[in-house]
Amino acid sequence: MAEERRPSAIGQALLAIGDQWTLLILQRAFLLHVRRFGDWRDELGMSESVLAGRLKELVAGGLLSPSPYREGGRTRTEYLLTERALELWSLLVEIWSWEQRWVPRRVGLPELMHDGCGNRTDVELGCASCGEAPVSARDTDTRRSEDTFARVAVPRHHRRTVRSDDGDPLSYLPETFELLGDRWSTVILAAALLGLRRFAEFEAELGVAPSVLSSRLRRFTELGVLATDESGGGRPAYRLTEKGRSFFGVFTLAIDWAQRWYAAPPGTDLIITHRTCGKTFRPQLRCRACGDPLARTDVHFILTDRRLPHPRPGDARERVPDGPGADEAEPAGGSR
Ligand SMILES: [Zn+2]
Ligand SMILES: [Zn+2]
């Protein structure tokens, strides 16, 4: 892709993961160690053609790595999470935390266990540079470049809405999907987190069509992520609610991941600074129970009331469901 057309790091990351099916495929790979075509198909109820397309994109994007295995005398392919994909664990845990806090549902989400302290816990966002926690959007300054937004909103070749089922304890992303599963939604939310308030500001800075902007702002208001403020006269200002502001954790983890894994063309940087220490903000998840920074292999979700994929002969990485702890999954980040 020509330099002048290449999207910013955030744009490239959204191309890689800003899709509802893609996020669900990755989530099942992390939580249930799904890595075979038929297991994703059965788990998610996806059509084979859509699944095949997404797997191809995930391989091309460096998030899944195909690996042959033998079964019944035939060679088949399974897909393993790459290093780049494994680093998304903290983003998925933060999404869980935000959904748990803000999105009411019929069936509770799986609980998170910190193996280091033995507590069922939640996470809070800290600064890896200075160790302070919690850190919120208000503790940071953000500097964007001229083209930070202009290079995010490249057209997407497909967009699908996945029906969410809040009776399924793993279907924990419904509202996050609305905020992240569509590029315009993401960029409008990012702009709101960076301080844009007025319709005309969003329109001018993002280059978004007024009809698209109206529909996204209306939806964010319905979701309680934005609230309108009519006090200024004329068109209302849009302010982030507490729910909207607390999406900062997901936002900043996504930016951090994107900027580490995707090369950004000049003029598209987005730099978030932690005011307390003056350094670039490096988001880090901490355990709310003991305060320790968390690593991928320190935490796991407790998956009760839910079937794990059937273990297969010769597949030592699947835990056989018997004995104590059988109803608990392995670390949230999966095993390799
Ligand atoms: Zn700091
Ligand atoms: Zn802990």
Side-chain angles (χ1 to χ4, degrees):
M1 202 177 289
E3 178 67 22
E4 70 272 14
R5 302 289 302 159
R6 196 150 56 91
S8 65
I10 307 159
Q12 292 178 61
L14 284 171
L15 273 173
I17 61 165
D19 168 82
Q20 304 185 2
W21 280 125
T22 301
L23 285 169
L24 281 170
I25 289 167
L26 289 171
Q27 183 215 31
R28 293 313 200 267
F30 272 103
L31 282 173
L32 300 177
H33 312 292
V34 172
R35 53 182 160 275
R36 292 178 184 177
F37 188 93
D39 289 336
W40 272 301
R41 180 197 57 211
D42 298 346
E43 228 342 283
L44 297 171
M46 293 177 74
S47 84
E48 296 201 339
S49 61
V50 173
L51 175 58
R54 294 303 193 281
L55 291 178
K56 205 172 155 193
E57 287 181 6
L58 282 161
V59 170
L63 295 170
L64 289 178
S65 159
S67 166
Y69 70 96
R70 299 285 293 174
E71 187 177 70
R74 296 173 59 187
T75 302
R76 297 168 182 275
T77 303
E78 59 182 14
Y79 299 88
L80 307 176
L81 292 165
T82 61
E83 274 314 304
R84 177 184 289 197
L86 285 168
E87 282 206 6
L88 286 167
W89 77 272
S90 51
L91 178 67
L92 290 173
V93 169
E94 178 66 15
I95 288 172
W96 164 86
S97 176
W98 184 83
E99 291 263 348
Q100 171 168 264
R101 185 165 168 207
W102 293 106
V103 184
R105 34 184 307 126
R106 274 189 301 131
V107 173
L109 293 173
E111 290 184 282
L112 184 69
M113 170 71 82
H114 179 206
D115 301 321
C117 71
N119 285 300
R120 291 169 192 234
T121 189
D122 193 358
V123 291
E124 66 183 8
L125 195 67
C127 171
S129 299
C130 69
E132 186 179 82
V135 174
S136 76
R138 291 198 165 107
D139 304 315
T140 63
D141 290 311
T142 304
R143 190 160 53 76
R144 61 186 185 272
S145 309
E146 207 175 319
D147 282 341
T148 298
F149 289 130
R151 299 287 190 92
V152 171
V154 293
R156 182 157 182 88
H157 53 283
H158 54 66
R159 178 183 172 224
R160 273 169 221 263
T161 303
V162 179
R163 188 178 48 82
S164 71
D165 171 13
D166 75 354
D168 177 350
L170 287 193
S171 172
Y172 69 65
L173 311 165
E175 292 204 8
T176 300
F177 280 157
E178 296 215 41
L179 305 182
L180 276 191
D182 163 78
R183 184 147 325 108
W184 278 124
S185 301
T186 311
V187 81
I188 291 165
L189 181 71
L193 281 163
L194 299 186
L196 269 59
R197 292 289 173 264
R198 299 207 164 265
F199 193 95
E201 292 173 339
F202 286 106
E203 194 183 357
E205 184 141 358
L206 309 181
V208 52
S211 59
V212 174
L213 180 56
S214 299
S215 78
R216 299 302 191 280
L217 291 173
R218 192 181 323 118
R219 186 60 190 140
F220 285 174
T221 309
E222 285 165 10
L223 290 173
V225 165
L226 291 176
T228 51
D229 175 357
E230 316 266 355
S231 62
R235 282 208 165 185
Y238 293 87
R239 295 187 189 289
L240 285 165
T241 60
E242 184 62 28
K243 177 180 177 181
R245 266 195 304 278
S246 70
F247 204 71
F248 174 74
V250 174
F251 173 71
T252 191
L253 284 162
I255 303 275
D256 184 62
W257 177 80
Q259 294 190 336
R260 273 183 295 113
W261 287 100
Y262 296 89
T268 64
D269 295 343
L270 181 64
I271 296 163
I272 303 174
T273 307
H274 183 212
R275 256 184 234 145
T276 308
C277 68
K279 297 199 174 117
T280 300
F281 179 53
R282 290 291 318 277
Q284 180 182 57
L285 294 185
R286 290 174 172 264
C287 171
R288 269 191 204 273
C290 71
D292 282 354
L294 297 174
R296 178 171 61 83
T297 49
D298 292 343
V299 289
H300 70 267
F301 284 105
I302 302 168
L303 302 174
T304 51
D305 306 328
R306 203 162 189 292
R307 174 185 64 81
L308 289 169
H310 299 298
R312 287 186 172 73
D315 191 343
R317 285 171 294 193
E318 301 281 3
R319 184 177 288 185
V320 179
D322 61 7
D327 58 352
E328 298 187 358
E330 287 182 35
S335 57
R336 285 242 312 191

